[in-house]
Amino acid sequence: MTNAPFDAPASRAPQDRSPDKGSTRVSVDGAMPESAAGQEPEQRAQVEVFNPNQLQAVGARPPLGDYLRDLWGSRHFIMYDAKVRLAVSQDHTILGKAWIVLNPILLGLTFYVIFGLLLDTSRGIDNFVAFIFLGLIMFTYSIRSVVAVSRSMQSGRALVKGFMFPRAALTLSIVVRDAMTQVWAIGAMLVMVLLIPPLEPISWTWFLLVPVFLLQTVFNWGLGMLLAPLVNRVPDVSNLMAFFMRLWMYASGIFYEPSRFVQDERILALFHFNPLYQVLSISRSLVLRAEIPPLSSWAILATASIVLCVVGFLVFWRNEESYADER
């Protein structure tokens, strides 16, 4: 049997293979070939490592810096909520927003009849009508704003429980609404000063009511935030708020000049260091006497407003987690 010879080629000719489209040829030393050298490297997705320590419980108090940034981010909500609150505040009445001006006027007339005509506490005060109206309009602003801010966590319970946002935004929207209301009341007060005899001349010192108004607004916000955690924990306190604020009003010379009835220097010092008494005293000096009050009066009002605002804000922030608690 004859076997056919099997001739194996000694060597195989190399095949000419052109590189496929999209393929990249890498040299032995690992350098990129010239064809790929000019191409930009592909962008890779950034992968963040999960850190469980960064998790926060729902409703937990954020750091103070983050809280302030969130509060600034809520500025559009604050303005919108304040405007809505102001728009619907008197919609259920026939006269509507006219009551913003009528309420202090009617209250002022009541005080004038009782304390000006019957009790004759107006002795020594040239323009007692303007004296009492100005005092009432300025002080009732603090009563209205402080009481509303202190009750804000209760009145806004549904909003507080349903959404995540800095709770101070709710208090600030109430302060802005009351400030808008007070602008109308101050305007009406100045018109009355010009129309009700004895007429008071217009003076450039009236413009200094603006810093008084701003400092009083800061004071109201700070005091309201300081009391809000207490009112939230003990709701009965809210029923005492109006009583204490009215007692504070009577102790601030709302319808009398303290120096005419008090001779004790220590008691007069208590009046002097009362921030809301300074609001009334400064406002009356600017409008009725066209005089600039002493620097000490401005310093007491400014210091009390700034310190109370800072302390009240920090107390309110530290109790942030308690406002959404179920009861």
Side-chain angles (χ1 to χ4, degrees):
M1 187 174 189
T2 304
N3 294 329
F6 178 77
D7 296 332
S11 62
R12 181 171 297 182
Q15 297 180 359
D16 185 13
R17 295 183 179 179
S18 60
D20 297 334
K21 292 182 179 180
S23 63
T24 302
R25 183 178 297 173
V26 182
S27 61
V28 176
D29 57 358
M32 291 293 293
E34 296 181 358
S35 60
Q39 297 180 359
E40 296 181 358
E42 296 181 358
Q43 295 182 353
R44 295 184 179 180
Q46 297 293 331
V47 179
E48 295 184 1
V49 180
F50 171 70
N51 185 2
N53 295 327
Q54 296 179 349
L55 292 177
Q56 290 184 346
V58 176
R61 182 184 71 244
L64 183 59
D66 295 342
Y67 193 78
L68 290 172
R69 282 191 292 271
D70 292 341
L71 184 60
W72 172 251
S74 304
R75 61 190 182 278
H76 300 296
F77 160 76
I78 292 171
M79 294 304 301
Y80 176 79
D81 186 62
K83 292 177 181 178
V84 170
R85 289 175 183 270
L86 180 62
V88 303
S89 59
Q90 298 292 342
D91 280 356
H92 60 285
T93 62
I94 297 176
L95 296 180
K97 294 179 180 58
W99 284 109
I100 295 175
V101 177
L102 290 176
N103 279 327
I105 291 177
L106 294 177
L107 185 61
L109 290 175
T110 303
F111 274 70
Y112 173 71
V113 171
I114 295 176
F115 297 101
L117 299 180
L118 299 181
L119 299 181
D120 195 20
T121 62
S122 61
R123 290 172 296 176
I125 302 176
D126 296 332
N127 192 347
F128 186 71
V129 175
F131 180 90
I132 198 169
F133 272 107
L134 198 153
L136 277 173
I137 288 176
M138 298 303 289
F139 202 100
T140 52
Y141 171 42
S142 288
I143 294 179
R144 183 174 62 250
S145 187
V146 171
V147 172
V149 171
S150 65
R151 295 174 177 174
S152 59
M153 295 300 101
Q154 288 186 323
S155 60
R157 178 73 61 184
L159 189 62
V160 169
K161 289 184 177 181
F163 299 93
M164 286 296 299
F165 65 100
R167 310 304 190 225
L170 195 58
T171 67
L172 192 53
S173 69
I174 294 175
V175 170
V176 173
R177 176 206 60 187
D178 291 334
M180 293 177 179
T181 303
Q182 182 67 0
V183 169
W184 288 95
I186 291 177
M189 174 193 69
L190 295 177
V191 171
M192 291 173 58
V193 168
L194 294 174
L195 297 179
I196 299 178
L199 306 181
E200 298 290 341
I202 299 177
S203 172
W204 68 269
T205 57
W206 289 16
F207 292 102
L208 293 180
L209 281 175
V210 175
V212 177
F213 166 69
L214 294 177
L215 288 173
Q216 186 182 9
T217 301
V218 173
F219 179 88
N220 297 342
W221 188 36
L223 182 57
M225 286 192 298
L226 184 64
L227 296 173
L230 178 61
V231 174
N232 184 62
R233 287 189 173 90
V234 186
D236 295 343
V237 176
S238 63
N239 296 321
L240 301 175
M241 285 294 301
F243 168 76
F244 282 112
M245 291 299 296
R246 194 167 296 276
L247 181 63
W248 194 353
M249 179 179 69
Y250 293 142
S252 298
I254 193 72
F255 51 82
Y256 61 93
E257 182 59 48
S259 59
R260 295 178 55 250
F261 297 94
V262 179
Q263 304 300 326
D264 193 335
E265 295 294 332
R266 292 170 296 181
I267 298 179
L268 287 176
L270 293 178
F271 278 97
H272 188 68
F273 286 102
N274 178 358
L276 291 182
Y277 168 76
Q278 292 298 343
V279 169
L280 305 188
S281 178
I282 293 174
S283 301
R284 286 164 174 165
S285 295
L286 296 174
V287 176
L288 302 182
R289 295 186 289 271
E291 298 175 355
I292 299 178
L295 185 60
S296 60
S297 298
W298 291 98
I300 291 173
L301 177 57
T303 302
S305 300
I306 295 173
V307 171
L308 193 59
C309 183
V310 172
V311 173
F313 186 85
L314 292 176
V315 170
F316 187 90
W317 165 70
R318 288 191 62 85
N319 290 272
E320 180 82 6
E321 298 178 352
S322 65
Y323 302 136
D325 290 345
E326 296 288 342
R327 295 187 181 275

